[in-house]
Structures are given as structure tokens and as C-alpha cells.
Amino acid sequence: MLSELSIRDIVLIEKLTIRFDGGMSVLTGETGAGKSILLDALSLALGARGDAQLVRQSADQGHVTAVFDLPVTHPVRAVLTEAEVDVDDGEPVMLRRVQNGDGRTRAFVNDQSVSASLLSRIGSLLVEIHGQHDNRALVDTSLHRVLLDAFGRLHGDVAHVGECHAHWRAAQKALAAHRNQVEEAAREADFLRAANEELMALAPEPGEEEQLAAHRADMMKSEKVASDLHDAEDTLGGPKSPIPAVSALLRRLERKAAEVPGLLEETNENLAKALDHLAEAQNLITRAVNTSDFNPSDLERTEERLFALRAAGRKYNVMVDELPALTVRMADQLAALDAGEERLAHLERVEKDAADVYDRAAAALSQRRKASAVDLEEAVMAELPALKLEKARFMVALETDAAQRAPHGSDDVAFHVQTNPGSRAGPIMKVASGGELSRFLLALKVALADKGSAPTLVFDEIDTGVGGAVADAIGSRLALLADGVQVLSVTHAPQVAARAGHHFLIAKSAVTGGTVATDVRQMDDGERREELARMLSGATITDEARAAAVQLLTGS
């Protein structure tokens, strides 16, 4: 429940802290005292859209803090855990919103920064605010189904239908994906078979292009070296070799050396050495040629393989490194094509079985909803006479479309009313007036009182335009609701205010500088009698009004 609301620098409120208890509390005051400001501030703390106009004049920013005492099992704690917001189990949950004058806002939960969307999600689980012109439970028809399910305690059935729907959708997606795969493969069957045969024969391997390119580069270097060695061998041992010429020259000079002693000996010696070195060089080059690792056929095979891979990459418009994956993919497509019909038939049976399971679960849920709709109609109708809607009828329009497989079932639910005999029945938002909407909502809330809702319900002047017995009936229904949840009601009706366990007065007072500020305080019994008397009689409080106030408070 809401245990404390603190407001600072919001419109007419300079600084204010209100502490609330369980049960029913009312807030009353003269028109213009600032009741709507309190609700705007509370809505801001609950995640409503920010507004720079909310900041008090001359202030830079406004602050609103709402503190809630919640049981360990309340769903909000699970939401906070999921969002990684650290709040101890026994610790109150504190929502804080800062509204800047430039329109920006900041949100906090227990002083930890959170998004406005998370704050709104939490706020919707903590407080429901209902006003004469803001009956969201009646405006949104999707909530009508939720309310009906809550009344019938059908949450388990709805969850089961949701699981069946998820299984059916998964089977449907698997079937559609396989059908598309088979159809695509069938359209390209001839190409696919030829391509698969070619790629299987080619058998590309991951990283093969890089390895072949590196090996080719090495062999091309070896080829260049081998060519130079062959040229050297040809130079020293071929037809143009200088060795025969030098050898012949040496023989001629050796014959002449005897004729000219001391003249040619050194020359002949150097020529002999030169012949020896040339012969040794020739031997070494021949040995190098014989031991060279260059193999022309190996280079040819490497190039053929490399060029074949690159040609396949161009043909199939992929990188060479992607050819192995393409080979596997084409083989899978062929396998899917070959075994596709059998697999397709199997998936069709799986999808049909899942659809049948869903249809049975949705049909069972529809039957339970129909029974719950009758009970809800009776429960709401039982509340209408006391709310002076004895001639009105409340109806739950439930339409089932078996072809509509939704996570929540195959039903569309809408609340219809007939406000007067002979008038046309129709959607509640189109047929009922503002005051009637509030009373229908109250009747619904009473019917749903023990079926789960936010722990705090706020009713903003839902008694507007009614009085006497109707206002008294509204007050009694609010008090009945307060047995199960915390009820806060902003009201102008003394009959409603008298039913509350706690009564707060909202008033404006002058402050320094000639401005005014809104203040809220809880009244004691004497002050409460005076406030009820004012509400009964107006500006001048009479003894008769005071006596009537006592009667309202004592119920006599």
C-alpha cells in the first residue's frame, strides 16, 4: 500500500508530506484547493509523462516521492529483480521522480536511477487511478478480457493456452521454413545437382587458396634460381664454354715456354689454375642443378588447382574461402530436396497436432469464460440497484473465432450496457454517461474485489453529479473495497467522506510574498464533523448541518 507521499515544489505545493494508512482514506476541500495537484504529483511518481508546467514558479525543479509497503511476494519485487534494481525483501519500495523546469525528468527506485518506462511499469502494478473521465479499465477493451479472466480466476488456463500457442507458432515457423527451403531447392534442382557434383569433385578445403598461393610463389622463386643455374651450366659446359679455348691456349704457350725460358712460366701457371677453377665451378654448378628442388610438374599441378578454385569462386560468386561452406550448403539443399517431401509431411503433421492441441485448450478456455461471463454479469447487476442504476443492464459480449489463434485464446470480450429499458445496448464507453461510467466501474471493482488488483485504488471524484442515496451507495462500495485493498478517494460527497477511516483536508493558505500554497492535513474527529457540515451546507455551517454530519459519521 501507499504509506507516504512527499511533494516539493510542484505547482502550488511548496513542501508537503502525507502519511497514509490502510483501508479507506478520503481527501476533501473546497474547489481549487489543489486536489488535482496531488493526483498529478502521484501520477508523476508512478511514471506518467512529465510536464514542465508542474514545477512551482521560481523553482528550478520539483520532486515527488511515493513510498510503498509491499509483501515479499508482490510482483513488483520480481520486476525490480529482473531489472537488477537492488531492493531488500523487507525494505519499502520508494519511487522518486524529479521534474526539471526544462521538461526533462529523472526517475529513481530506492535512490537507484531507472528509466521512465520501468517506473511506469512498476507504478501500474502499485496504483490504479480512476476518475470520471479516466476509466481506463472500461476504455481499453483488451482489459475487458483481462478483467473477465481475473474474475473467473482463469490465469492458469490463459497461461496454458499461451504455451500451446507458442508451441503451435514454433511448429508453424518450422514448417514454413522447411517448405520454403524445399520450394527453393526444387526451383533450382538441375543447377543444384550440377553445381553440387562439380563442387564435390573439386572438394575445396578451408584455407586451401592461401596455402596454394604461398606454395606457388615459393616454386616460382625456385624456378627463377633453376633457370639461372642452367644458364651458368650452359655457359661453362656448352658450345660457347671458354674452357676448351683456354685449354688450347695453355697448350700453345707451354710449347713456346721452352723457347723463351723465364718469360711464360708464370702466365702458364695462372692459366692452369684458371682452368682448374673453371672446371671446379662447372662441377659445382652441375651438382647444384642436380640437387635443385624445383619440379615443373609440381608447379603446373599447383597452378591448375589454384586456378580451378578461383574459377569456381567466380562462377558461384563467392570468395574461394567460402567454397567449402557452399559445398556443404548445396549438399544440404540437395538432401532437403531428396528427403523434402517426407520431412514436409512430418512437419505438417506436427503443425496440425500443435494446432489441434491449441484449439482444444482455447475451446476449453472459451467455455470457462462463458460461464465466468454469466457470473460476472450477475455480480455487477447485483451492485447496480444500490448505485441507482436499477434499470440498467450490464452484459459481457463474448465472441469466439476459432480461426483466430491468439496467445490469449480465440475470444474477443467487450463490456456492453443498456442504461434504460427500450434503449439500444452497446459498448459501455459509447452508451454510458460519465457519471454512469464511474458507477459501472465501481460495481466492477466490487465484483473483482478479491480477484487481484493493484494494492492501492485511487478514485478521483467518481461521485460527481450524484448525491443522496447514490452517493451513500458509492461510499458503502468504496468502504467494501477497502476491506481488501487501500482506497484513496477525492470526493465532494459527504456521504462518501463519512465512510472513510481517515479524512484529509486539502486547503490553500497565504505564504510569504503574497502567494498561496496548498497544504494537506489529517483531521481529528471534531475537525472532521465541521468539514462534513461544510460539505453539507456550504459556506455557512448551520447546527442542522452539524447534526447531519454526526448522523453520517455514526450511521444513525
Side-chain angles (χ1 to χ4, degrees):
M1 71 170 191
L2 176 64
S3 61
E4 183 175 292
L5 180 64
S6 296
I7 307 170
R8 191 176 73 197
D9 292 327
I10 297 292
V11 193
L12 296 178
I13 299 175
E14 184 176 11
K15 188 175 183 181
L16 177 65
T17 297
I18 313 171
R19 292 178 176 84
F20 295 99
D21 293 307
M24 178 177 172
S25 299
V26 294
L27 298 98
T28 64
E30 295 182 356
T31 300
K35 296 184 288 295
S36 62
I37 299 173
L38 286 177
L39 295 185
D40 288 343
L42 176 59
S43 297
L44 186 66
L46 297 173
R49 184 184 297 275
D51 186 348
Q53 298 300 316
L54 290 174
V55 179
R56 180 177 170 83
Q57 189 175 2
S58 77
D60 294 328
Q61 57 183 212
H63 301 254
V64 184
T65 302
V67 181
F68 294 86
D69 292 328
L70 302 175
V72 175
T73 56
H74 194 279
V76 160
R77 295 193 183 275
V79 172
L80 292 174
T81 300
E82 179 186 346
E84 299 183 351
V85 178
D86 187 21
V87 178
D88 293 338
D89 287 345
E91 187 179 5
V93 174
M94 181 175 65
L95 311 185
R96 182 163 63 91
R97 195 81 176 277
V98 179
Q99 173 68 65
N100 293 316
D102 59 6
R104 293 178 300 166
T105 66
R106 289 178 293 154
F108 302 87
V109 175
N110 287 45
D111 292 326
Q112 298 167 69
S113 180
V114 299
S115 66
S117 60
L118 176 61
L119 191 70
S120 179
R121 181 183 175 192
I122 294 170
S124 66
L125 295 173
L126 294 174
V127 179
E128 291 180 17
I129 300 178
H130 301 287
Q132 183 177 358
H133 303 293
D134 184 29
N135 293 301
R136 285 174 290 177
L138 301 182
V139 173
D140 188 351
T141 54
S142 67
L143 290 178
H144 295 184
R145 186 190 64 253
V146 174
L147 292 174
L148 176 62
D149 290 342
F151 178 81
R153 301 189 188 278
L154 302 178
H155 299 99
D157 300 273
V158 175
H160 176 60
V161 168
E163 292 173 359
C164 293
H165 180 270
H167 292 155
W168 169 67
R169 286 292 293 151
Q172 194 179 49
K173 289 179 180 178
L175 174 60
H178 184 72
R179 180 177 285 130
N180 289 338
Q181 187 179 20
V182 169
E183 290 175 354
E184 181 181 351
R187 286 193 297 269
E188 302 177 359
D190 294 339
F191 166 78
L192 190 61
R193 292 188 190 281
N196 182 69
E197 184 177 344
E198 180 182 354
L199 288 176
M200 292 295 288
L202 185 63
E205 297 180 1
E208 188 177 7
E209 181 189 26
E210 184 178 356
Q211 294 174 1
L212 289 172
H215 186 47
R216 177 172 178 259
D218 290 342
M219 284 191 293
M220 290 180 70
K221 291 178 183 177
S222 298
E223 181 185 28
K224 175 63 176 171
V225 172
S227 176
D228 292 341
L229 288 175
H230 281 295
D231 289 345
E233 185 182 34
D234 187 61
T235 298
L236 292 177
K240 297 181 179 180
S241 172
I243 293 177
V246 173
S247 179
L249 176 63
L250 177 59
R251 287 195 298 273
R252 287 198 303 272
L253 291 179
E254 284 178 338
R255 289 193 296 269
K256 297 295 182 181
E259 299 175 9
V260 284
L263 180 64
L264 298 175
E265 284 78 0
E266 187 175 357
T267 299
N268 290 340
E269 184 179 347
N270 286 329
L271 284 173
K273 288 180 180 179
L275 279 173
D276 291 340
H277 286 306
L278 284 172
E280 179 65 20
Q282 183 181 16
N283 290 334
L284 291 173
I285 288 174
T286 300
R287 190 183 308 163
V289 169
N290 293 333
T291 58
S292 173
D293 62 356
F294 172 69
N295 187 338
S297 60
D298 187 17
L299 175 60
E300 183 178 355
R301 288 193 300 271
T302 299
E303 288 184 333
E304 286 178 354
R305 177 67 176 172
L306 181 61
F307 297 157
L309 289 172
R310 288 175 174 173
R314 289 192 297 273
K315 181 176 181 179
Y316 297 111
N317 197 29
V318 296
M319 302 294 292
V320 173
D321 283 343
E322 297 173 7
L323 285 173
L326 178 63
T327 304
V328 173
R329 190 161 62 250
M330 284 186 170
D332 290 344
Q333 287 176 316
L334 266 181
L337 179 62
D338 295 336
E341 293 304 322
E342 181 180 349
R343 174 67 175 164
L344 189 63
H346 169 72
L347 290 177
E348 285 175 344
R349 290 193 298 272
V350 170
E351 189 273 339
K352 184 180 182 303
D353 290 344
D356 290 343
V357 170
Y358 171 88
D359 290 342
R360 288 194 295 272
L365 176 59
S366 293
Q367 290 302 314
R368 294 187 180 95
R369 277 178 174 154
K370 289 174 183 176
S372 297
V374 173
D375 294 339
L376 180 59
E377 287 177 353
E378 293 177 354
V380 174
M381 288 291 291
E383 295 296 322
L384 296 183
L387 294 169
K388 297 306 177 185
L389 291 170
E390 61 275 359
K391 294 182 180 181
R393 290 183 58 214
F394 174 82
M395 294 157 281
V396 179
L398 191 152
E399 295 183 2
T400 301
D401 180 3
Q404 173 186 284
R405 294 191 179 109
H408 54 73
S410 302
D411 304 313
D412 288 325
V413 178
F415 295 155
H416 287 193
V417 297
Q418 181 186 41
T419 54
N420 292 291
S423 63
R424 184 184 298 274
I428 191 169
M429 283 303 299
K430 293 183 179 179
V431 175
S433 65
E436 290 168 338
L437 273 176
S438 298
R439 284 179 278 165
F440 276 118
L441 172 68
L442 187 54
L444 266 172
K445 281 298 177 183
V446 172
L448 292 162
D450 61 341
K451 304 301 192 298
S453 80
T456 299
L457 302 180
V458 178
F459 294 91
D460 180 19
E461 299 185 359
I462 67 166
D463 46 50
T464 298
V466 301
V470 177
D472 185 60
I474 290 175
S476 68
R477 266 60 189 170
L478 290 174
L480 180 63
L481 276 177
D483 289 338
V485 296
Q486 182 186 40
V487 174
L488 306 179
S489 177
V490 177
T491 182
H492 288 291
Q495 296 89 344
V496 174
R499 295 277 185 172
H502 315 283
H503 194 154
F504 294 86
L505 178 66
I506 305 173
K508 287 193 296 188
S509 59
V511 295
T512 306
T515 60
V516 295
T518 294
D519 186 39
V520 180
R521 62 183 178 85
Q522 187 170 359
M523 295 184 290
D524 59 28
D525 292 343
E527 292 171 325
R528 190 176 181 189
R529 284 193 297 271
E530 285 296 299
E531 173 63 7
L532 289 177
R534 181 198 65 77
M535 296 172 72
L536 286 164
S537 64
T540 303
I541 302 176
T542 64
D543 291 338
E544 291 80 2
R546 290 188 176 94
V550 172
Q551 274 190 320
L552 286 176
L553 288 170
T554 59
S556 58

